[in-house]
């Protein structure tokens, strides 16, 4: 995995490696150099190998990766997203590419199998010409935070509704739409926990919309306690291939409202385990939020149904079972997993 220092796909890679090793698999994580990631994987009783995974001029990573794989002698190798797939060699192993978005499939030309973490991705890959038998749906899991103690932020007054959103401050996340929606829902406070290039534009928008006293952007903060404390969890993204944050909201037993981008509309059955609003529609998003905040019975029903969705499909146990099925399918003679 040669991804960034932070991000949903990268953090799930860590969780998965640790959980698979704990289940009894022999796992070698090979990662782009990152001290914090190395420490977290080592704390999970793994021995990662760090490589550069640089640009086109990096002539050393591929042979070093090849040597590391031959020494480890794996049955299955998973190339986690584009850069890893570009560097990973073929060998006496089943080479698989794992995608978390609609990526350029030319990176995965050496792979025999592909994994998509949504059914929409799997359908898209088959439409691109990959044989259906060589494309597999294996979802992500989120850490179970259903029993974490709620931690209400000090800057949000007691007795007022608290809406939470998480993510990088990027145009894809559509926090501008959420801020305009909050202007239509008086008396509530919003926290957007994250950092990114859109901070200045979003801060300007809060002043333009006259909600700067009700919108808080503290940067990256530890989310579990915040999610458990919020009255409503919102994912307004314009583009969201999966929506790990939606799964986290389900786990925390919080009602979820999301824009109907690719991932959330696959995760949420509108009116059953969450509410969906049209992408880029601040009026509809505001109406959905107001509906949940004004109807405690509905909020409770959505939260309980979201938790049931998490336990059935996106908790560690069912996702590890799905990985086990996948590994047995692509390497039936060698795989001895739990």
């Amino acid at each position: 995995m040669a991804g960034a220092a932070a991000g949903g796909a990268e953090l799930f890679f860590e969780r998965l490696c640790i959980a698979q090793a704990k289940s009894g698999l022999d796992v070698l994580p090979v990662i782009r150099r990152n001290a914090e990631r190395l420490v977290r994987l080592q704390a999970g009783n793994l021995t990662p190998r760090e490589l550069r995974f640089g640009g086109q001029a990096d002539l050393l990573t591929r042979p070093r990766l090849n040597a590391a794989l031959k020494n480890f002698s794996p049955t299955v190798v998973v190339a986690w997203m584009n850069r890893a797939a570009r560097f990973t060699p073929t060998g006496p192993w089943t080479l698989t590419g794992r995608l978390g978005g609609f990526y350029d499939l030319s990176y995965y030309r050496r792979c025999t199998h592909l994994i998509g973490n949504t059914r929409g991705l799997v359908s898209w890959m088959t439409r691109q010409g990959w044989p259906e038998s060589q494309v597999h749906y294996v979802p992500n899991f989120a850490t179970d935070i259903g029993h974490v103690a709620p931690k209400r932020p000090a800057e949000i007054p007691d007795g007022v509704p608290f809406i939470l959103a998480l993510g990088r401050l990027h145009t894809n996340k559509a926090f501008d739409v959420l801020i305009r929606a909050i202007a239509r829902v008086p008396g509530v406070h919003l926290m957007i926990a994250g950092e990114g290039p859109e901070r200045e534009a979003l801060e300007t928008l809060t002043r333009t919309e006259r909600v700067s006293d009700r919108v808080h952007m503290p940067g990256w903060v530890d989310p579990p306690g915040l999610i458990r404390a919020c009255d409503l969890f919102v994912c307004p993204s314009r583009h969201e291939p999966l929506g790990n944050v939606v799964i986290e909201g389900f786990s925390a037993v919080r009602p979820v409202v999301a824009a109907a981008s690719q991932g959330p509309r696959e995760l949420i059955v509108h009116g059953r385990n969450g509410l969906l609003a049209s992408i880029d529609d601040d009026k509809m998003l505001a109406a959905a939020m107001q509906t949940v905040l004004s109807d405690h019975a509905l909020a409770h029903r959505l939260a309980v149904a979201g938790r049931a969705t998490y336990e059935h499909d996106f908790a560690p146990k069912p996702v590890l079972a799905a990985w086990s099925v996948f590994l047995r399918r692509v390497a039936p003679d060698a795989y001895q997993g739990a």
Side-chain angles (χ1 to χ4, degrees), residues 141-157:
F141 68 77
T143 302
D144 188 349
I145 59 175
H147 303 290
V148 171
K151 185 178 180 181
R152 189 177 178 91
E155 56 264 51
I156 295 181

Side-chain angles (χ1 to χ4, degrees), residues 97-145:
R98 185 272 186 190
L99 289 77
F102 300 91
Y103 305 151
D104 183 349
L105 294 182
S106 67
Y107 286 103
Y108 303 88
R109 60 186 179 274
R110 288 190 294 275
C111 296
T112 305
H113 296 268
L114 296 181
I115 296 170
N117 63 355
T118 70
R119 298 188 188 279
L121 269 176
V122 169
S123 297
W124 174 78
M125 287 186 280
T126 57
R127 292 196 301 272
Q128 304 309 302
W130 274 79
E132 189 173 342
S133 62
Q134 293 171 236
V135 181
H136 311 266
Y137 167 62
V138 187
N140 288 12
F141 68 77
T143 302
D144 188 349
I145 59 175

Side-chain angles (χ1 to χ4, degrees), residues 16 41 75 82 168 201 206 224 246 273 278-279 292 302 309-310:
L16 178 63
L41 289 169
T75 302
N82 294 356
R168 189 163 179 259
T206 64
V246 172
N273 60 356
S278 297
I279 296 170
V292 175
L302 295 177
T309 301
Y310 168 77

Side-chain angles (χ1 to χ4, degrees), residues 60-251:
L60 296 178
T61 292
R62 183 173 286 110
R64 288 174 175 174
L65 176 56
N66 189 47
L69 293 176
K70 287 183 175 178
N71 182 64
F72 185 67
S73 190
T75 302
V76 179
V77 175
V78 179
W80 199 272
M81 301 188 296
N82 294 356
R83 188 180 294 251
R86 179 164 64 84
F87 280 100
T88 305
T90 57
W93 46 74
T94 300
L95 180 56
T96 295
R98 185 272 186 190
L99 289 77
F102 300 91
Y103 305 151
D104 183 349
L105 294 182
S106 67
Y107 286 103
Y108 303 88
R109 60 186 179 274
R110 288 190 294 275
C111 296
T112 305
H113 296 268
L114 296 181
I115 296 170
N117 63 355
T118 70
R119 298 188 188 279
L121 269 176
V122 169
S123 297
W124 174 78
M125 287 186 280
T126 57
R127 292 196 301 272
Q128 304 309 302
W130 274 79
E132 189 173 342
S133 62
Q134 293 171 236
V135 181
H136 311 266
Y137 167 62
V138 187
N140 288 12
F141 68 77
T143 302
D144 188 349
I145 59 175
H147 303 290
V148 171
K151 185 178 180 181
R152 189 177 178 91
E155 56 264 51
I156 295 181
D158 291 334
V160 302
F162 163 33
I163 295 175
L164 178 67
L166 302 174
R168 189 163 179 259
L169 306 184
H170 187 278
T171 54
N172 284 348
K173 300 300 182 182
F175 293 133
D176 56 316
V177 178
L178 179 55
I179 289 169
R180 287 194 293 271
I182 283 295
R184 299 176 177 276
V185 187
V188 306
H189 278 241
L190 166 68
M191 176 170 282
I192 302 173
E195 195 52 81
E198 288 295 299
R199 170 173 285 278
E200 185 176 351
L202 294 174
E203 289 176 341
T204 298
L205 182 60
T206 64
R207 294 190 290 272
T208 301
E209 295 290 336
R210 300 182 180 180
V211 293
S212 56
D213 60 329
R214 298 195 286 123
V215 176
H216 313 273
M217 292 189 290
W220 292 115
V221 293
D222 191 35
L226 291 177
I227 300 173
R228 288 280 293 140
C230 72
D231 297 290
L232 176 62
F233 195 60
V234 180
C235 174
S237 299
R238 296 181 172 92
H239 177 69
E240 194 70 64
L242 172 61
N244 283 305
V245 293
V246 172
I247 300 173
E248 290 173 349
F250 287 168
S251 166

